[in-house]
Amino acid sequence: MSAVAHSVEIERKYDVDEATALPDWTRLPGITRVGEPEPRDLDARYLDTPAAALAHAGIALRRRAGGPDAGWHVKTPGVDGRHEYHWPLGRDADEGVPADIAAAVSPWATGPFVPLARIRNARVAYALFDASGAQVAEVVDDHVSARNERSGGESAWREWEVELGPVPPGDVTAFFAGVDELVASVGGRPAASTSKLARALSA
């Protein structure tokens, strides 16, 4: 497989009702334009050891189809945000975790890896730009359906994510304070769960 790519996610998540309308994102500090909506159909299968060693360590291992970052992902916690390591799609998850990806999670767990959860997501993404045309952030509107493969429990919800982009704002704290206020103004609230996987596993 190709060399791994690495990024750091700095984002906020919000729970919203099905009928909640998107706010005017140009009310955020420094945002002057919102990009056209970009629909993405995502299908992610999460894997773990039978004892869920990765989940207990706060690590996510998934194979996701759809969207611009389709591929194998490993997510790990960090003090500066959540770190994501990305490999392009190769073998199907049913055929086992590729060796280089298994090596990446070996500090926390060794196989066999078995299905943990499946999360499908009808996503619409919007890029947020400043006056210079730089992308400051991305907002995604997610309609999620999930299945806990261990318990058989199913769940569905809607959430928004606001993630910093390639050219983040100069004052990140003020920017996210503005996001909190804007989302609250239309009835949104901070997400009850830190991740989609954690929410799926609670079902």
Side-chain angles (χ1 to χ4, degrees):
M1 303 184 77
S2 300
V4 61
H6 170 253
S7 61
V8 179
E9 293 180 340
I10 302 175
E11 65 183 14
R12 296 278 179 91
K13 294 176 180 285
Y14 303 90
D15 289 333
V16 291
D17 298 329
E18 281 297 319
T20 303
L22 289 166
D24 177 5
W25 300 109
T26 62
R27 291 171 56 192
L28 293 174
I31 301 303
T32 61
R33 181 171 67 87
V34 179
E36 292 298 315
E38 181 185 333
R40 303 171 184 168
D41 289 324
L42 311 177
D43 186 353
R45 287 185 284 175
Y46 291 78
L47 299 103
D48 206 334
T49 66
L54 293 176
H56 291 312
I59 309 299
L61 166 62
R62 75 183 179 198
R63 181 190 186 278
R64 187 165 77 181
D69 65 344
W72 287 88
H73 302 143
V74 173
K75 291 191 174 187
T76 66
V79 294
D80 55 343
R82 194 151 174 83
H83 288 245
E84 179 175 309
Y85 302 87
H86 173 226
W87 295 258
L89 286 176
R91 287 161 42 188
D92 188 86
D94 290 338
E95 299 175 5
V97 177
D100 49 351
I101 300 169
V105 299
S106 63
W108 303 279
T110 56
F113 296 102
V114 294
L116 179 65
R118 186 168 192 174
I119 298 178
R120 295 181 174 91
N121 184 7
R123 165 173 289 182
V124 181
Y126 303 84
L128 306 184
F129 300 96
D130 65 14
S132 72
Q135 184 179 341
V136 173
E138 181 181 68
V139 175
V140 296
D141 182 9
D142 290 343
H143 290 79
V144 186
S145 59
R147 175 179 172 83
N148 182 333
E149 300 288 14
R150 306 294 173 86
S151 70
E154 298 187 352
S155 52
W157 66 92
R158 183 186 179 200
E159 71 178 34
W160 295 341
E161 293 180 4
V162 180
E163 181 177 350
L164 296 185
V167 184
D171 190 337
V172 171
T173 300
F175 178 78
F176 277 124
V179 173
D180 290 343
E181 182 178 353
L182 183 59
V183 171
S185 74
V186 295
R189 55 232 176 247
S193 181
T194 57
S195 72
K196 290 180 176 65
L197 177 59
R199 190 160 182 169
L201 294 179
S202 69

